[in-house]
């Protein structure tokens, strides 16, 4: 905590590089101690929040900081932790831009795209979330098959939420394509069980709507389909 306060002193003096170095040191130490001490995660969170403040203040002062993607990722996570979804999206986009080498893709660019999708989802911007996850599936499958499978699954969840919100036939088709893509391309992915669960839940919801409309026959068919999934 003393190092963080010292970092704030440097920031107040306009010494942003020194402030950044101290905040990064504390963030790394907090991550190292997360799981073994009660304050490790809290320390990392506080340091990451400070990183976002340093970057913002330096930018406002006209000081351009040339930051590597790992630092930008920490700062973006700090924005996300405070539920500043829109600002977090922009911060994660900066991580993607800064990931310029092949070595940067797996540790920084892919996690950033996944977080962009999550932020959009939490803002109920389901179509934007869909395309963020879609970027990982289409562009980075050759880098990490497991992460691409995760993205394909969350792409399906985003399409499902989109259709639930709009009930647009075009969005229903998008949902079906996303489901087919995940099931067909990643049949052994651990999330396959979750897929069956959510499909069952969707059948139940649609069955409930038919019951409310007085169509017990079709509702029964959907409930039977749900039983086959759950």
């Amino acid at each position: 905590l003393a190092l963080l306060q010292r970092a704030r002193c440097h920031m107040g003096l306009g010494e942003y590089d020194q402030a950044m170095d101290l905040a990064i040191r504390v963030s790394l130490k907090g991550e190292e101690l997360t799981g073994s001490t009660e304050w490790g995660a809290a320390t990392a969170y506080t340091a990451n929040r400070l990183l976002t403040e340093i970057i913002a203040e330096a930018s406002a002062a006209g000081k351009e900081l040339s930051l590597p993607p790992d630092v930008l990722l920490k700062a973006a996570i700090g924005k996300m932790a405070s539920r500043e979804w829109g600002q977090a999206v922009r911060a994660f986009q900066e991580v993607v831009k800064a990931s310029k080498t092949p070595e940067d893709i797996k540790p920084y660019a892919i996690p950033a795209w996944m977080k962009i999708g999550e932020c959009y989802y939490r803002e109920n911007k389901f179509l934007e979330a869909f395309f963020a996850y879609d970027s990982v599936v289409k562009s980075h499958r050759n880098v990490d098959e497991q992460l691409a499978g995760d993205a394909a699954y969350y792409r399906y969840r985003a399409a499902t939420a989109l259709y639930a919100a709009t009930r647009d036939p075009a969005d229903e088709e998008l949902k079906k394509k996303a489901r087919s893509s995940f099931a067909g391309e990643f049949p052994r992915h651990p999330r396959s069980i979750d897929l069956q669960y959510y499909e069952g839940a969707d059948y139940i919801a649609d069955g409930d709507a038919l019951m409310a409309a007085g169509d017990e026959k079709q509702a029964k068919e959907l409930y039977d389909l749900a039983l086959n999934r759950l």
Side-chain angles (χ1 to χ4, degrees):
L1 293 179
L3 285 175
L4 289 179
Q5 291 301 93
R6 183 177 174 187
R8 291 187 182 279
C9 290
H10 282 298
M11 187 167 62
L13 294 170
E15 299 168 348
Y16 300 110
D17 289 329
Q18 295 94 320
M20 187 70 66
D21 288 341
L22 289 175
I24 292 170
R25 284 172 55 189
V26 176
S27 176
L28 291 172
K29 189 63 176 179
E31 291 175 0
E32 178 186 334
L33 295 174
T34 297
S36 61
T37 68
E38 293 182 0
W39 55 269
T43 299
Y45 167 80
T46 303
N48 290 341
R49 288 290 300 138
L50 181 58
L51 284 172
T52 68
E53 294 176 28
I54 295 168
I55 293 171
E57 187 169 313
S59 178
K63 171 73 173 180
E64 291 296 327
L65 298 175
S66 180
L67 301 173
D70 60 328
V71 174
L72 291 172
L73 184 62
K74 291 178 184 297
I77 290 171
K79 283 287 185 185
M80 189 175 181
S82 61
R83 306 176 71 85
E84 300 173 48
W85 309 124
Q87 292 184 38
V89 166
R90 291 188 287 275
F92 284 119
Q93 289 170 339
E94 290 300 316
V95 177
V96 174
K97 292 178 184 177
S99 301
K100 298 177 180 178
T101 69
E103 291 75 20
D104 293 334
I105 300 301
K106 184 174 179 178
Y108 310 122
I110 293 178
W113 274 118
M114 296 293 284
K115 292 296 186 183
I116 289 170
E118 184 179 347
C119 288
Y120 277 136
Y121 193 96
R122 290 175 179 271
E123 283 190 296
N124 295 328
K125 295 181 177 179
F126 303 121
L127 187 59
E128 290 87 343
F130 176 93
F131 284 114
Y133 294 127
D134 189 61
S135 177
V136 176
V137 178
K138 291 183 176 179
S139 301
H140 302 307
R141 184 172 179 176
N142 62 322
V143 177
D144 192 304
E145 183 80 5
Q146 178 68 35
L147 286 175
D150 290 343
Y153 169 76
Y154 287 115
R155 180 180 61 180
Y156 162 72
R157 293 299 304 143
T160 299
L162 177 65
Y163 174 61
T166 66
R167 291 296 171 179
D168 187 317
D171 293 333
E172 182 180 21
E173 187 62 26
L174 189 69
K175 170 187 167 182
K176 289 179 180 178
K177 288 182 178 178
R179 188 263 178 219
S180 177
S181 174
F182 175 68
E185 296 178 35
F186 305 94
R188 297 184 179 180
H189 193 277
R191 290 286 187 180
S192 294
I193 296 176
D194 291 343
L195 178 66
Q196 294 180 22
Y197 169 80
Y198 282 115
E199 281 187 321
D202 287 341
Y203 283 132
I204 292 172
D206 290 341
D208 291 345
L210 288 171
M211 281 286 288
D215 193 342
E216 287 83 2
K217 182 178 179 181
Q218 288 195 43
K220 179 180 178 299
E221 292 176 0
L222 289 178
Y223 292 141
D224 288 341
L225 289 172
L227 287 171
N228 290 331
R229 294 294 191 277
L230 302 175

